[in-house]
Amino acid sequence: MSAYISSFAANAIGIIGSILFIAAFAYANIAKRLDQLLFNAVNLVGAILLLISLSVHFNLAAFLLEAAWALIASWGLLRALRARRARGDSA
């Protein structure tokens, strides 16, 4: 993928992913009631953006961390969707 993304774009994408992680972490610490769907969705998008950035500036340790983060966020997202469906929530 690095042939399609410039170094500048990869850095910008990675920074956006990092901002999403920080925002989700702040939200988790500020919210009186955590919306699991929102929290996991933001974390998943952040992990995907950082993985895209890592396709240009590869670092094995960071790749493993982001891949694990994406898998955990995906699992949490699926659980949150199932819970909402079981409660009958539409949003």
Side-chain angles (χ1 to χ4, degrees):
M1 184 179 284
S2 62
Y4 303 107
I5 301 174
S6 71
S7 182
F8 176 80
N11 284 328
I13 291 167
I15 289 168
I16 293 168
S18 295
I19 290 168
L20 290 175
F21 279 154
I22 293 166
F25 185 67
Y27 164 68
N29 284 280
I30 294 170
K32 293 186 189 309
R33 184 173 175 274
L34 185 70
D35 181 335
Q36 292 287 329
L37 187 63
L38 175 65
F39 177 73
N40 285 297
V42 171
N43 273 293
L44 179 58
V45 172
I48 290 169
L49 292 176
L50 280 159
L51 286 167
I52 291 169
S53 175
L54 285 168
S55 74
V56 175
H57 304 289
F58 188 76
N59 176 304
L60 181 59
F63 176 82
L64 293 173
L65 175 66
E66 297 311 323
W69 201 294
L71 287 172
I72 294 166
S74 295
W75 176 70
L77 191 57
L78 288 173
R79 283 189 59 209
L81 286 168
R82 286 184 185 140
R84 283 201 177 182
R85 188 174 301 134
R87 287 192 315 263
D89 292 353
S90 61

